[in-house]
Structures are given as C-alpha cells and as structure tokens.
Amino acid sequence: MPLPDPRMRILASDDFDRADGTLGANWTTRTGAEDPQIVSSKLRAKTVDFTACSGYTGITWPNNQWSQGILDTVGGATYTEHGLILRYQVANALRYRCYITGPAGAAKDAEIRDTAGAVIATRSDVITSAGDLMTFDVVGTRFRLWQNSTLLLTANDSVQLSGSPGVNLYISPGGSLSDMIMDDWIGGDFAPLSSAQAQRNRRSAGRYR
C-alpha cells in the first residue's frame, strides 16, 4: 500500500488472511472493548453499538509510529467509525484514536481524540469510498490523519508518549456488522532524515524567521 510520508518504514503488518475469529497472539484487546473479528479474511466489529479495539503488541514499538488500514466497506445508512489507534498502553488502557465516519458518499466527520477521549482535531467535509487508505501517525507530540495521500488533520498532545498502534471500530445501533469492514493493516516507524535533507530543512526554516 502507498505510504503518505516517504520516511515511513513498515515494522509489522496483518492482512487478516486466516480463519475466522479473533486477531490472535500478536494483538491485545483494550480493556473495556471487544475483540475485532476476522470474517472472510477481513476485519470488522464483533457487536453493533460496542467498540472493538486492539493494539498490535507483537513487537516493541518506537514512540514515533504510524497505523494504516484499507476502508474495504463503508456502506449502510447508520453512523460508523473506521478507526485507528496510536500509543495504546495495555497497563492503563489509554490510547490516541482517530476515525472517519461512514457511510460512504455524503460528507462525514474525521476526528483525532486524545487519551481522555476529547476531540483535539476535527473536520466535517470528508467523503470516503471503498478502497480508501486511512493512515494515522505521530512524531513527537504531533499527530496526523491521512486519507490516501491527502492530509486531513493535525493535532498536538503530549500526555502519552509511548505504546502500540492498532485498530478501533464502531457501528451505531440499527447498523449491520457488514456496514464497516477494514482490510490489510500495516504499522511502522519513521526513518531519520538524511544529513542532506536535514540541512535543506534548516536552510528553508531560516528563510522564514
């Protein structure tokens, strides 16, 4: 899958191409949430009106990290959240999360929320299509949400500086589990800037002081 920032490096991935059921040993479900479910080699929520949220804990993650998934299905007429998480910590069950709401077609919301669940960035003009890539990343205290190669939102927060990336899915009452399906999750970190690129950035910044 294309990556919106050329510095992004892949550290882990999950294509969900295995037997139906829970995600398995490399994933840890957030306390108070349900396990996302694999159905026909794709990922969906387990229960309508109940958050399904898991972090990929199969490796130790650097603090600068990103999480990406394909919006495979964005149908139905009810409210849904195609979501990703960053810096999820098993011990305190806190995580940063973002989501793009459904259904497809009409303009919908995109949000980034902090570890307390408060909205720290939002917009309401996002139109999604099946097959869109959704990417959520953090470097230092800066968070970004992408739709394909388009930057949708940025936010800053410094409450939680480490943890794991993962997924967060929700379907409102009246919806169907088939209304929102995600596929092909990938997570990673950021390569350091080359010395030449860092020098160019410093020169560029100097021109605007």
Side-chain angles (χ1 to χ4, degrees):
M1 291 187 286
L3 301 174
D5 187 318
R7 297 173 300 146
M8 289 176 169
R9 302 183 296 191
I10 297 171
L11 297 181
S13 63
D14 194 334
D15 59 12
F16 313 127
D17 288 344
R18 53 187 179 276
D20 289 359
T22 60
L23 283 167
N26 286 328
W27 294 83
T28 300
T29 298
R30 179 176 180 261
T31 300
E34 290 188 328
D35 296 305
Q37 298 291 298
I38 296 173
V39 178
S40 300
S41 300
K42 300 184 188 297
L43 196 67
R44 60 175 68 181
K46 181 179 182 180
T47 306
V48 170
D49 197 28
F50 207 102
T51 298
C53 178
S54 288
Y56 191 97
T57 53
I59 66 171
T60 299
W61 289 91
N63 295 343
N64 296 335
Q65 58 189 240
W66 54 271
S67 182
Q68 183 187 81
I70 294 177
L71 307 186
D72 181 87
T73 302
V74 283
T78 61
Y79 176 86
T80 61
E81 294 179 5
H82 288 78
L84 298 167
I85 63 172
L86 294 172
R87 292 181 175 171
Y88 163 63
Q89 292 188 4
V90 175
N92 62 20
L94 299 179
R95 85 289 198 208
Y96 292 93
R97 66 185 172 103
C98 73
Y99 56 80
I100 299 175
T101 65
K108 294 295 180 180
D109 295 336
E111 292 187 351
I112 297 175
R113 292 181 177 250
D114 66 13
T115 56
V119 177
I120 53 177
T122 186
R123 62 187 290 177
S124 57
D125 60 348
V126 178
I127 297 176
T128 58
S129 299
D132 280 352
L133 290 173
M134 181 179 179
T135 310
F136 188 30
D137 72 53
V138 59
V139 175
T141 61
R142 183 204 63 191
F143 293 80
R144 299 183 297 182
L145 172 59
W146 305 80
Q147 180 187 18
N148 301 317
S149 60
T150 299
L151 180 61
L152 296 180
L153 295 171
T154 61
N156 288 278
D157 194 87
S158 59
V159 170
Q160 191 150 285
L161 299 177
S162 63
S164 302
V167 298
N168 195 101
L169 308 172
Y170 175 79
I171 302 170
S172 64
S176 168
L177 294 176
S178 61
D179 288 346
M180 181 195 61
I181 299 174
M182 185 175 285
D183 201 6
D184 291 340
W185 180 86
I186 300 178
D189 69 348
F190 290 83
L193 289 174
S194 67
S195 58
Q197 182 63 56
Q199 188 175 25
R200 286 195 294 271
N201 288 356
R202 286 194 295 270
R203 286 199 299 266
S204 176
R207 289 197 294 269
Y208 296 96
R209 288 175 182 167

